[in-house]
Structure formats: C-alpha cells, structure tokens
Coordinates of all heavy atoms in Angstrom, one line a residue:
M1 N 13.5 -1.7 3.9 CA 12.1 -2.0 3.5 C 12.0 -3.3 2.7 O 11.0 -3.6 2.1 CB 11.4 -0.9 2.8 CG 11.0 0.2 3.7 SD 10.0 1.4 2.8 CE 11.3 2.4 2.1
R2 N 13.1 -4.1 2.7 CA 13.1 -5.3 2.0 C 12.0 -6.3 2.5 O 11.5 -7.1 1.8 CB 14.5 -6.0 2.2 CG 14.7 -7.3 1.6 CD 16.0 -7.8 1.9 NE 16.2 -8.3 3.2 CZ 15.8 -9.5 3.6 NH1 15.3 -10.4 2.8 NH2 16.0 -9.9 4.9
E3 N 11.6 -6.1 3.8 CA 10.6 -7.0 4.4 C 9.3 -7.0 3.7 O 8.6 -8.0 3.6 CB 10.4 -6.6 5.9 CG 11.6 -6.9 6.7 CD 12.6 -5.7 6.7 OE1 12.3 -4.7 6.1 OE2 13.7 -5.9 7.2
V4 N 8.9 -5.9 3.1 CA 7.6 -5.8 2.4 C 7.6 -6.7 1.2 O 6.7 -7.5 1.0 CB 7.3 -4.3 2.0 CG1 6.0 -4.3 1.1 CG2 7.2 -3.4 3.2
G5 N 8.7 -6.8 0.5 CA 8.8 -7.7 -0.7 C 8.9 -9.2 -0.2 O 8.3 -10.0 -0.9
V6 N 9.5 -9.4 0.9 CA 9.6 -10.8 1.4 C 8.2 -11.3 1.8 O 7.8 -12.4 1.5 CB 10.6 -10.9 2.6 CG1 10.6 -12.2 3.3 CG2 12.0 -10.6 2.1
L7 N 7.5 -10.4 2.5 CA 6.1 -10.7 2.9 C 5.2 -11.0 1.7 O 4.4 -11.9 1.7 CB 5.5 -9.7 3.8 CG 6.0 -9.6 5.3 CD1 5.5 -8.4 6.0 CD2 5.5 -10.9 6.0
R8 N 5.4 -10.1 0.7 CA 4.6 -10.3 -0.5 C 4.8 -11.6 -1.1 O 3.9 -12.4 -1.5 CB 4.9 -9.2 -1.5 CG 4.1 -9.2 -2.8 CD 4.7 -8.3 -3.8 NE 5.9 -8.9 -4.4 CZ 6.1 -9.0 -5.7 NH1 5.2 -8.6 -6.5 NH2 7.2 -9.6 -6.1
D9 N 6.1 -12.0 -1.3 CA 6.4 -13.3 -1.8 C 5.9 -14.5 -1.0 O 5.4 -15.5 -1.6 CB 8.0 -13.4 -2.0 CG 8.6 -12.5 -3.0 OD1 7.8 -11.9 -3.8 OD2 9.8 -12.3 -2.9
F10 N 5.9 -14.3 0.3 CA 5.3 -15.4 1.2 C 3.8 -15.6 0.9 O 3.4 -16.7 0.7 CB 5.5 -14.9 2.7 CG 4.8 -15.8 3.6 CD1 5.4 -17.0 4.0 CD2 3.6 -15.5 4.2 CE1 4.8 -17.9 4.9 CE2 3.0 -16.3 5.1 CZ 3.6 -17.5 5.5
Y11 N 3.1 -14.5 0.8 CA 1.6 -14.6 0.6 C 1.3 -15.1 -0.8 O 0.4 -15.9 -1.0 CB 0.9 -13.2 0.8 CG 0.7 -12.9 2.2 CD1 1.5 -12.0 2.9 CD2 -0.3 -13.5 2.9 CE1 1.3 -11.7 4.3 CE2 -0.6 -13.3 4.3 CZ 0.2 -12.4 4.9 OH 0.0 -12.1 6.3
I12 N 2.1 -14.8 -1.8 CA 2.0 -15.3 -3.1 C 2.2 -16.8 -3.2 O 1.5 -17.6 -3.7 CB 2.9 -14.5 -4.1 CG1 2.4 -13.1 -4.3 CG2 2.9 -15.3 -5.5 CD1 3.3 -12.2 -5.1
T13 N 3.3 -17.2 -2.6 CA 3.8 -18.6 -2.6 C 2.8 -19.5 -1.8 O 2.4 -20.6 -2.3 CB 5.2 -18.8 -2.0 OG1 6.1 -18.0 -2.8 CG2 5.6 -20.2 -2.0
Y14 N 2.5 -19.1 -0.6 CA 1.7 -20.0 0.3 C 0.2 -19.8 0.3 O -0.5 -20.7 0.8 CB 2.3 -19.9 1.7 CG 3.7 -20.5 1.8 CD1 4.8 -19.6 1.8 CD2 4.0 -21.8 1.7 CE1 6.1 -20.0 1.8 CE2 5.3 -22.3 1.7 CZ 6.3 -21.4 1.8 OH 7.6 -21.8 1.8
F15 N -0.3 -18.7 -0.1 CA -1.7 -18.4 -0.1 C -2.3 -18.1 -1.4 O -3.5 -17.8 -1.5 CB -2.0 -17.3 0.9 CG -1.7 -17.7 2.4 CD1 -0.5 -17.3 2.9 CD2 -2.6 -18.4 3.1 CE1 -0.2 -17.7 4.2 CE2 -2.3 -18.8 4.4 CZ -1.1 -18.4 5.0
G16 N -1.5 -18.1 -2.5 CA -2.0 -17.8 -3.8 C -2.4 -16.4 -4.1 O -3.3 -16.1 -4.9
A17 N -1.9 -15.5 -3.3 CA -2.3 -14.0 -3.5 C -1.8 -13.5 -4.8 O -0.9 -14.0 -5.4 CB -1.6 -13.2 -2.4
K18 N -2.5 -12.5 -5.3 CA -2.1 -11.8 -6.5 C -1.8 -10.4 -6.0 O -2.4 -9.8 -5.2 CB -3.3 -11.7 -7.5 CG -3.6 -13.1 -8.0 CD -4.9 -13.1 -8.9 CE -5.3 -14.5 -9.3 NZ -5.8 -15.3 -8.2
S19 N -0.7 -9.8 -6.6 CA -0.2 -8.5 -6.1 C -0.2 -7.5 -7.3 O 0.0 -7.8 -8.4 CB 1.3 -8.7 -5.7 OG 1.9 -7.5 -5.3
N20 N -0.4 -6.3 -6.8 CA -0.2 -5.2 -7.8 C 1.2 -4.8 -7.8 O 2.1 -5.4 -7.1 CB -1.1 -3.9 -7.3 CG -0.5 -3.3 -6.1 OD1 0.1 -3.9 -5.2 ND2 -0.6 -1.9 -6.1
A21 N 1.6 -3.8 -8.7 CA 2.9 -3.3 -8.7 C 3.2 -2.5 -7.4 O 2.3 -2.0 -6.8 CB 3.1 -2.4 -9.9
L22 N 4.5 -2.4 -7.1 CA 4.9 -1.6 -6.0 C 4.4 -0.2 -6.1 O 4.6 0.5 -7.1 CB 6.4 -1.7 -5.8 CG 7.0 -1.0 -4.6 CD1 6.6 -1.6 -3.3 CD2 8.5 -1.0 -4.7
Y23 N 3.8 0.3 -5.0 CA 3.3 1.6 -4.9 C 4.2 2.4 -4.0 O 4.5 2.0 -2.9 CB 1.9 1.6 -4.4 CG 1.3 3.0 -4.2 CD1 0.9 3.8 -5.3 CD2 1.1 3.5 -2.9 CE1 0.3 5.1 -5.1 CE2 0.6 4.8 -2.7 CZ 0.2 5.5 -3.8 OH -0.3 6.8 -3.6
H24 N 4.7 3.6 -4.5 CA 5.5 4.4 -3.6 C 4.7 5.5 -3.0 O 4.0 6.3 -3.7 CB 6.6 5.1 -4.5 CG 7.6 4.1 -5.0 ND1 8.7 3.7 -4.3 CD2 7.7 3.4 -6.2 CE1 9.4 2.8 -5.0 NE2 8.8 2.6 -6.1
I25 N 4.8 5.7 -1.7 CA 4.1 6.7 -0.9 C 5.2 7.9 -0.8 O 6.0 7.9 0.1 CB 3.7 6.2 0.5 CG1 2.9 4.9 0.3 CG2 2.9 7.3 1.2 CD1 2.7 4.1 1.6
K26 N 5.1 8.8 -1.7 CA 6.2 9.8 -1.8 C 6.3 10.7 -0.6 O 7.4 11.0 -0.2 CB 6.0 10.6 -3.1 CG 6.1 9.7 -4.4 CD 5.8 10.5 -5.6 CE 5.9 9.6 -6.8 NZ 5.5 10.2 -8.0
K27 N 5.1 11.2 -0.1 CA 5.2 12.1 1.0 C 5.7 11.6 2.3 O 6.3 12.2 3.1 CB 3.8 12.7 1.3 CG 3.3 13.7 0.2 CD 2.0 14.3 0.6 CE 1.6 15.3 -0.5 NZ 0.4 16.0 -0.2
K28 N 5.5 10.3 2.5 CA 6.0 9.6 3.8 C 7.2 8.7 3.6 O 7.6 8.1 4.6 CB 4.8 8.9 4.4 CG 3.7 9.8 4.8 CD 2.6 9.1 5.5 CE 1.5 10.1 5.9 NZ 0.7 9.5 7.0
G29 N 7.7 8.6 2.4 CA 8.9 7.7 2.2 C 8.6 6.3 2.4 O 9.5 5.5 2.8
G30 N 7.4 5.8 2.0 CA 7.1 4.4 2.2 C 6.8 3.7 0.9 O 6.8 4.3 -0.2
K31 N 6.5 2.4 1.0 CA 6.2 1.6 -0.1 C 5.0 0.7 0.3 O 4.9 0.4 1.5 CB 7.4 0.7 -0.5 CG 8.6 1.5 -1.0 CD 9.7 0.6 -1.4 CE 10.9 1.5 -1.9 NZ 12.0 0.7 -2.3
S32 N 4.3 0.2 -0.7 CA 3.1 -0.5 -0.4 C 2.8 -1.5 -1.5 O 3.0 -1.2 -2.7 CB 1.9 0.4 -0.1 OG 0.7 -0.3 0.1
Y33 N 2.3 -2.7 -1.1 CA 1.7 -3.6 -2.1 C 0.3 -3.9 -1.6 O 0.0 -4.0 -0.4 CB 2.4 -5.0 -2.0 CG 3.8 -5.0 -2.7 CD1 4.9 -5.1 -1.9 CD2 3.9 -5.0 -4.1 CE1 6.2 -5.1 -2.5 CE2 5.2 -5.0 -4.7 CZ 6.3 -5.1 -3.9 OH 7.5 -5.1 -4.5
F34 N -0.6 -4.1 -2.6 CA -2.0 -4.5 -2.3 C -2.1 -5.9 -2.8 O -1.8 -6.2 -4.0 CB -3.0 -3.6 -3.0 CG -3.1 -2.2 -2.4 CD1 -2.3 -1.2 -2.9 CD2 -3.9 -2.0 -1.3 CE1 -2.4 0.1 -2.4 CE2 -4.0 -0.7 -0.8 CZ -3.2 0.3 -1.3
L35 N -2.5 -6.8 -2.0 CA -2.7 -8.3 -2.3 C -4.2 -8.6 -2.4 O -4.9 -8.1 -1.5 CB -2.0 -9.1 -1.3 CG -0.5 -8.9 -1.1 CD1 0.0 -9.8 0.0 CD2 0.3 -9.0 -2.3
S36 N -4.5 -9.4 -3.3 CA -5.9 -9.9 -3.3 C -5.9 -11.4 -3.4 O -5.0 -12.1 -3.8 CB -6.7 -9.3 -4.6 OG -6.0 -9.7 -5.8
F37 N -7.0 -12.0 -2.9 CA -7.1 -13.4 -2.7 C -8.4 -13.9 -3.4 O -9.3 -13.1 -3.7 CB -7.2 -13.8 -1.3 CG -5.9 -13.4 -0.5 CD1 -5.8 -12.2 0.1 CD2 -4.9 -14.3 -0.4 CE1 -4.7 -11.8 0.8 CE2 -3.7 -13.9 0.3 CZ -3.6 -12.7 0.9
D38 N -8.5 -15.2 -3.7 CA -9.7 -15.7 -4.4 C -11.0 -15.4 -3.7 O -12.0 -15.3 -4.3 CB -9.6 -17.2 -4.6 CG -8.5 -17.5 -5.6 OD1 -8.1 -16.7 -6.5 OD2 -8.0 -18.7 -5.6
E39 N -11.0 -15.4 -2.4 CA -12.2 -15.2 -1.6 C -12.6 -13.7 -1.5 O -13.4 -13.4 -0.7 CB -12.1 -15.8 -0.2 CG -11.7 -17.2 -0.2 CD -12.9 -18.1 -0.6 OE1 -14.1 -17.8 -0.3 OE2 -12.7 -19.1 -1.3
E40 N -12.1 -12.9 -2.3 CA -12.3 -11.4 -2.4 C -11.7 -10.6 -1.2 O -12.0 -9.5 -1.1 CB -13.8 -11.1 -2.5 CG -14.5 -11.7 -3.8 CD -15.9 -11.3 -3.9 OE1 -16.3 -10.3 -3.3 OE2 -16.6 -12.0 -4.6
A41 N -10.9 -11.3 -0.4 CA -10.2 -10.6 0.7 C -9.1 -9.8 0.1 O -8.5 -10.2 -0.9 CB -9.7 -11.6 1.7
R42 N -8.7 -8.7 0.7 CA -7.6 -7.9 0.3 C -6.7 -7.5 1.5 O -7.2 -7.4 2.6 CB -8.1 -6.6 -0.4 CG -8.8 -6.9 -1.7 CD -9.4 -5.8 -2.4 NE -8.4 -4.7 -2.5 CZ -8.7 -3.4 -2.8 NH1 -9.9 -3.1 -3.0 NH2 -7.7 -2.5 -2.9
L43 N -5.4 -7.4 1.2 CA -4.5 -7.1 2.3 C -3.5 -6.0 1.7 O -3.0 -6.1 0.6 CB -3.7 -8.4 2.7 CG -2.6 -8.3 3.7 CD1 -3.2 -7.9 5.0 CD2 -1.9 -9.6 3.8
E44 N -3.2 -5.1 2.6 CA -2.1 -4.1 2.2 C -0.9 -4.3 3.0 O -1.0 -4.3 4.3 CB -2.6 -2.7 2.3 CG -1.6 -1.6 1.9 CD -2.1 -0.2 2.0 OE1 -3.2 0.0 2.6 OE2 -1.3 0.7 1.5
L45 N 0.3 -4.4 2.4 CA 1.5 -4.5 3.1 C 2.3 -3.2 2.9 O 2.5 -2.8 1.8 CB 2.4 -5.7 2.5 CG 1.7 -7.1 2.6 CD1 2.6 -8.1 1.8 CD2 1.5 -7.5 4.0
M46 N 2.7 -2.6 4.0 CA 3.3 -1.3 4.0 C 4.7 -1.3 4.7 O 4.8 -2.0 5.7 CB 2.4 -0.3 4.6 CG 1.1 -0.1 4.0 SD 0.1 1.1 4.8 CE 1.0 2.6 4.5
G47 N 5.6 -0.5 4.2 CA 6.9 -0.3 4.8 C 7.2 1.1 4.7 O 6.9 1.8 3.8
H48 N 7.9 1.6 5.8 CA 8.3 3.0 5.8 C 9.8 3.1 6.1 O 10.3 2.4 7.0 CB 7.5 3.8 6.8 CG 6.1 4.0 6.4 ND1 5.7 5.0 5.6 CD2 5.0 3.3 6.7 CE1 4.3 4.9 5.4 NE2 3.9 3.8 6.1
S49 N 10.5 4.0 5.5 CA 11.9 4.2 5.7 C 12.3 4.7 7.1 O 13.4 4.6 7.6 CB 12.5 5.1 4.7 OG 11.9 6.4 4.7
D50 N 11.3 5.3 7.8 CA 11.6 5.9 9.1 C 11.4 5.0 10.3 O 11.5 5.4 11.5 CB 10.8 7.2 9.3 CG 9.3 7.0 9.3 OD1 8.9 5.9 8.9 OD2 8.6 7.9 9.6
I51 N 11.0 3.7 10.0 CA 10.8 2.7 11.1 C 12.1 1.9 11.3 O 12.7 1.4 10.3 CB 9.7 1.8 10.7 CG1 8.4 2.5 10.6 CG2 9.6 0.7 11.8 CD1 7.2 1.7 10.1
A52 N 12.6 1.9 12.5 CA 13.9 1.2 12.8 C 13.7 -0.3 12.6 O 12.6 -0.8 12.9 CB 14.4 1.6 14.2
E53 N 14.7 -1.0 12.2 CA 14.6 -2.5 12.1 C 14.6 -3.1 13.5 O 15.2 -2.6 14.4 CB 15.8 -3.0 11.3 CG 15.6 -2.6 9.8 CD 16.7 -3.3 9.0 OE1 17.0 -4.4 9.3 OE2 17.0 -2.7 7.9

C-alpha cells in the first residue's frame, strides 16, 4: 500500500494539496488519506491490502 503515500506526496508537491493524518480502515485492512485543495475540492486516496499489485 506504499502507493497511497506516493500519490499523496505527488498531490502535495505538484498541486499544493493539504493532507490529514493517515486513517486506518480496520475492518477492511485499508488505509486512506483525505486531501484538500484551495478551491475547496477534496480527494480521498485509498489503498487496501487485499488488492494485488
């Protein structure tokens, strides 16, 4: 699930996004970041351990 952190860094670096702390989805074994942008747009990046690479 490293890709979620890589994508988060991409949006922060190139689009000026602001990120919350990593959120763990305990029941489904996933992780999530919520990103916000100056124009009030929001984006959720999710990764799950059961998805093959």
Side-chain angles (χ1 to χ4, degrees):
M1 279 187 280
R2 180 182 73 84
E3 293 82 9
V4 176
V6 172
L7 282 172
R8 181 189 78 126
D9 294 344
F10 173 82
Y11 281 103
I12 290 171
T13 301
Y14 295 103
F15 294 97
K18 294 174 184 72
S19 177
N20 72 324
L22 181 64
Y23 175 75
H24 293 274
I25 306 165
K26 295 176 185 175
K27 289 186 178 183
K28 297 189 177 195
K31 296 179 181 181
S32 176
Y33 286 107
F34 290 92
L35 305 178
S36 59
F37 301 87
D38 290 338
E39 301 290 323
E40 298 184 22
R42 293 177 50 194
L43 175 68
E44 181 179 9
L45 302 174
M46 298 176 72
H48 291 276
S49 58
D50 60 348
I51 298 173
E53 290 190 30

